[in-house]
Amino acid sequence: MEPLASLAAMAGAAFVAATLLPAQSEAVFVGLLAAKSVDPLALFLTASLANTAGSVLNWWLGRLIARHGVEKLPARLRPDPARFAQAQTFFARFGWPSLLLAWLPIVGDPLTFVAGTLNYPFGRFVALVLIGKAGRYAALWAGWASFA
């Protein structure tokens, strides 16, 4: 696979994985590391930034919900009520540090949505989410490197 195509595949997988849609990007990241088809630093940066961008979409959707209500979203974009309630509880309990865990399965994506519904400051949101998501990809990269 060409380097640009590899990075585009990583960006797409990482972006979708960070939205409320069910998807994973870890296998794509590790697979592209193993294929050695692209510079690992470029892959890391692409994955981290695209995954953060997907979370920004969640934050923005949360802002729309706060203004207009969940019924205005298309049905496929509406959050699962149980996951949303779980994320609200988690965010209320742990506050801003919980955004460092936005990479977690099940609660991570709804956390970013909840932050938007609560009008959490955008700049802080992006910084915290980027730190957490970059940390996850760094750990995957380090884990892969230790076995490669």
Side-chain angles (χ1 to χ4, degrees), residues 18-114:
T19 67
L20 298 173
L21 301 172
Q24 296 295 318
S25 63
E26 294 84 359
V28 175
F29 184 77
V30 173
L32 289 171
L33 282 173
K36 298 180 180 181
S37 62
V38 66
D39 175 59
L41 180 59
L43 185 66
F44 166 76
L45 292 172
T46 299
S48 299
L49 293 172
N51 206 237
T52 300
S55 292
V56 167
L57 175 63
N58 294 342
W59 182 91
W60 180 76
L61 288 172
R63 291 287 296 132
L64 286 176
I65 292 301
R67 289 183 188 162
H68 305 291
V70 73
E71 63 280 350
K72 300 287 184 182
L73 282 176
R76 70 180 183 278
L77 294 179
R78 290 183 194 151
D80 176 273
R83 286 177 62 193
F84 183 60
Q86 186 179 23
Q88 284 178 311
T89 301
F90 194 85
F91 195 87
R93 182 172 181 196
F94 297 106
W96 69 264
S98 66
L99 290 173
L100 294 169
L101 303 175
W103 58 270
L104 283 173
I106 301 172
V107 297
D109 300 336
L111 269 175
T112 61
F113 181 82
V114 167

